[in-house]
Amino acid sequence: MDLLVLLLLCSAPLIRGHSSGLVIDSCEELKSHQSGLSPQTAPSPFIVTTEQRRYRVGEDVKVELQGPASTPFTGFLLEAIEVGSETPVGSFATPAGAAKVLTCSQRPSSAVSHTSGFNSSYIQVTWRSEPSGDIKAVQFRASFVQNSTTFWVNVMSSVLTFTNGRAARSAGALTGNGSTDPAPLVKSAASISSANCGVTKVCFSQPSNCDPAVSASCYFMSAMMLASGTAVQYEMTGPYEGYIAFGFSDDQKMGNDDIYVCGMNSNGQVGVQHMYSTGRTTPQVVALGNVYNITTSLQNNVISCSFTTTEIISIQGTSGFSQSYYFMFVCGPSSNGQIQFHKHDFVSTTKMAISTPVVSERGFPDIIKAHGSLMLIAWMTTGTLGMMVARYLKTMAKGTTMCNKDLWFVVHVGVMLLTVAATIIAFILIFAHTRDWSGGAHPVLGCLVMILSFFQPIVAMLRCGPQHHLSDGWLMKVMGGFLAWEALFYIMLEVHNGKSKEKGSATVEVESESVKIDGLLIGLFFLGNICFLVALLVGIGVK
């Protein structure tokens, strides 16, 4: 069958699976099997979390299996085991729809697995501890299937310890190295909201003025100065891709920023890190310092962190809670506890001071606004006007001259020179700001526009005059078609290569198909080039 089924095996029985997701036989260890394939050795993008770190006799515990929203899993198998052994403990409540309980090691409902057609990045199940018996430390162990060839086994949750009615700790305690205790109490994402923004706390969100308690797609951070004036309570939340982070900067560009990160650490737990960036490289981790009341959450693909600190904001040349800073918010993937280059970033339009509660909106730096404005002026106004004048003003203003030239020609040259000048300035501005290649189709198209804009006036100067014996309208149209043909295939090849990179590690079949498509596009490109070349050569020969 095409879909991998996760199986619990005993020492050497026949492995059997069903498309419904049911797993049979016994559950001594979690494995996956399909035609001798091996599980992934890289860290799993999927995790197992619980709403608590301790449990009582007969207590229900919510267990969540989840991964990045962009990477769903198509199969899973989960069981609870006693720490230090392979013995299943407790039982799972019968879930509805997407999962079914299993009987393993002659223990009813001791494991849970997917059903047919499952495809999601999140599922929650309920585990119930045994009503009586020895006190046990428990871990949840899972296997995940991403596709028919990619799967992970032995993905472990944090340890769930037994408590005899004693309340759990309210927050992670500081350790000697400035990090937090690995078992902070979970704080629900719904408990972070936009309430009192602009009244008691400074808030920054994307979309503007969104409320994370209402919308799961809201990126949000807040900072509230406590009554003592020496400590600040920070909150941040947003859709889970690996990590979210906010920072304070003296400008609207990355570099020289004081940053706090909320993300998945190497142990598979959500934690808080303090970092400092010195340029367009990975920020350096610094000591967390005097940070307390840390609460974290990863529920329904929303990651959240809240904490209080007396560490003042400090960037080169500026420090203190009373100073004004630009607020930055980024999100992106992480790998084995290491943050990767962010996918999205949002920057406040103005500087703000934590001591003065306001609500800030996301904005773009002025240099980016100037780039966009110049491009709009060039290609929605002056460029379009130049083309319309050259095509229609010839007859409308026939016989009218300016500077001993036809009026249409003077207007056409003027607006087209403005178009080229605006494009060049916009091109320089954006590269001066980013100082990097941002990726995607936008910079590729921008470079093509810049190249064509640069050559357009050169081609115009080389063009024959209307009365010249080599002048022929159809020849110039062929030249225009030739340039458009080249631009079209450059775009098609870039888009295809971009999609291939997004797929990441592909199978041999997929790579082979990609090579075939590249070959087909290049073949069509050269065939079209030859046709245009023959047409141009024939035109020259006739003249």
Side-chain angles (χ1 to χ4, degrees):
M1 58 185 177
D2 294 332
L3 177 63
L4 257 181
V5 177
L6 299 169
L7 303 176
L8 294 170
L9 310 177
C10 54
S11 56
L14 176 66
I15 299 172
R16 292 175 289 166
H18 300 274
S19 60
S20 66
L22 287 175
V23 180
I24 58 175
D25 293 323
S26 63
C27 308
E28 296 303 323
E29 59 178 320
L30 287 166
K31 290 185 177 179
S32 291
H33 180 81
Q34 186 186 36
S35 303
L37 293 175
S38 300
Q40 302 296 304
T41 56
S44 170
F46 313 109
I47 59 172
V48 184
T49 60
T50 59
E51 291 186 342
Q52 58 206 64
R53 297 292 181 264
R54 301 185 182 186
Y55 74 97
R56 300 177 180 87
V57 172
E59 182 179 11
D60 287 347
V61 176
K62 301 294 184 183
V63 185
E64 296 179 316
L65 287 76
Q66 55 193 319
S70 59
T71 311
F73 50 96
T74 57
F76 70 93
L77 191 145
L78 174 72
E79 69 169 345
I81 59 172
E82 182 180 353
V83 174
S85 77
E86 300 294 326
T87 305
V89 294
S91 61
F92 289 92
T94 303
K100 290 186 177 183
V101 294
L102 314 172
T103 298
C104 294
S105 297
Q106 299 182 346
R107 297 177 63 93
S109 304
S110 60
V112 63
S113 179
H114 63 282
T115 55
S116 180
F118 179 88
N119 189 325
S120 176
S121 58
Y122 174 83
I123 188 171
Q124 183 186 81
V125 296
T126 301
W127 175 81
R128 176 168 296 176
S129 62
E130 296 172 344
S132 62
D134 297 332
I135 297 174
K136 302 178 179 70
V138 175
Q139 266 187 304
F140 294 93
R141 182 172 62 177
S143 291
F144 293 92
V145 174
Q146 183 176 346
N147 54 49
S148 59
T149 59
T150 307
F151 56 94
W152 289 261
V153 299
N154 293 328
V155 180
M156 307 298 291
S157 73
S158 59
V159 175
L160 198 65
T161 57
F162 179 85
T163 179
N164 188 19
R166 292 187 296 272
R169 186 170 54 253
S170 63
L174 287 174
T175 60
N177 60 4
S179 62
T180 60
D181 187 282
L185 185 69
V186 168
K187 181 175 184 177
S188 170
S191 64
I192 297 179
S193 73
S194 61
N196 296 319
C197 284
V199 180
T200 61
K201 59 186 181 182
V202 179
C203 298
F204 178 50
S205 63
Q206 171 61 28
S208 297
N209 300 316
C210 65
D211 188 347
V214 176
S215 172
S217 61
C218 177
Y219 295 96
F220 178 88
M221 69 82 55
S222 69
M224 181 175 67
M225 180 73 73
L226 301 186
S228 63
T230 60
V232 176
Q233 180 184 8
Y234 294 112
E235 298 176 319
M236 57 177 146
T237 184
Y240 172 68
E241 294 186 38
Y243 75 94
I244 56 176
F246 67 82
F248 304 98
S249 179
D250 196 40
D251 54 31
Q252 293 178 299
K253 296 186 292 184
M254 298 292 177
N256 187 31
D257 312 315
D258 197 350
I259 302 169
Y260 286 98
V261 179
C262 174
M264 193 65 60
N265 59 32
S266 58
N267 296 323
Q269 301 299 315
V270 178
V272 176
Q273 285 183 303
H274 192 190
M275 294 187 173
Y276 190 86
S277 67
T278 56
R280 299 187 65 85
T281 57
T282 303
Q284 300 299 311
V285 178
V286 297
L288 196 55
N290 189 19
V291 176
Y292 54 96
N293 290 343
I294 297 176
T295 55
T296 64
S297 171
L298 180 53
Q299 300 179 38
N300 301 319
N301 283 312
V302 174
I303 187 170
S304 306
C305 290
S306 173
F307 58 94
T308 303
T309 180
T310 59
E311 297 292 317
I312 64 171
I313 302 170
S314 180
I315 59 177
Q316 186 176 355
T318 310
S319 64
F321 294 136
S322 60
Q323 301 297 320
S324 295
Y325 308 91
Y326 286 105
F327 283 33
M328 295 181 171
F329 195 106
V330 301
C331 60
S334 62
S335 176
N336 198 26
Q338 299 295 317
I339 66 172
Q340 307 297 307
F341 192 80
H342 56 268
K343 289 185 175 180
H344 309 286
D345 61 270
F346 318 112
V347 184
S348 63
T349 54
T350 58
K351 287 186 175 182
M352 300 176 291
I354 290 176
S355 56
T356 307
V358 294
V359 178
S360 177
E361 296 183 354
R362 172 204 176 185
F364 292 101
D366 290 339
I367 194 170
I368 294 182
K369 294 179 181 179
H371 165 79
S373 299
L374 286 170
M375 281 299 192
L376 288 175
I377 292 171
W379 298 105
M380 291 189 67
T381 305
T382 57
T384 304
L385 178 61
M387 290 184 286
M388 296 292 287
V389 165
R391 187 169 184 85
Y392 299 108
L393 197 61
K394 289 180 182 180
T395 54
M396 292 174 58
K398 189 173 183 179
T400 306
T401 62
M402 179 183 290
C403 301
N404 296 322
K405 298 287 185 181
D406 290 339
L407 178 62
W408 73 266
F409 181 76
V410 175
V411 175
H412 171 74
V413 170
V415 293
M416 293 310 292
L417 286 176
L418 284 176
T419 300
V420 174
T423 302
I424 293 174
I425 295 171
F427 185 83
I428 294 173
L429 287 177
I430 196 63
F431 270 96
H433 173 72
T434 59
R435 299 180 184 179
D436 199 0
W437 186 266
S438 61
H442 187 90
V444 176
L445 293 175
C447 289
L448 287 173
V449 168
M450 183 65 249
I451 293 170
L452 294 175
S453 299
F454 181 77
F455 281 108
Q456 194 272 342
I458 297 176
V459 173
M461 286 189 293
L462 297 176
R463 183 176 181 179
C464 301
Q467 308 304 323
H468 197 279
H469 69 282
L470 292 179
S471 175
D472 196 330
W474 76 266
L475 201 60
M476 297 307 298
K477 291 177 182 178
V478 172
M479 178 65 76
F482 171 68
L483 293 175
W485 180 261
E486 288 209 353
L488 173 65
F489 272 86
Y490 275 121
I491 294 171
M492 291 174 65
L493 286 168
E494 285 295 330
V495 170
H496 176 63
N497 290 337
K499 289 183 177 180
S500 299
K501 290 179 181 178
E502 288 178 1
K503 292 180 180 179
S505 56
T507 62
V508 175
E509 292 79 5
V510 173
E511 291 179 353
S512 176
E513 182 181 354
S514 178
V515 171
K516 289 179 180 178
I517 294 176
D518 282 339
L520 177 62
L521 289 174
I522 292 173
L524 289 174
F525 173 72
F526 280 109
L527 180 63
N529 270 22
I530 291 173
C531 293
F532 280 110
L533 179 62
V534 170
L536 290 171
L537 293 175
V538 169
I540 293 172
V542 170
K543 294 297 181 181

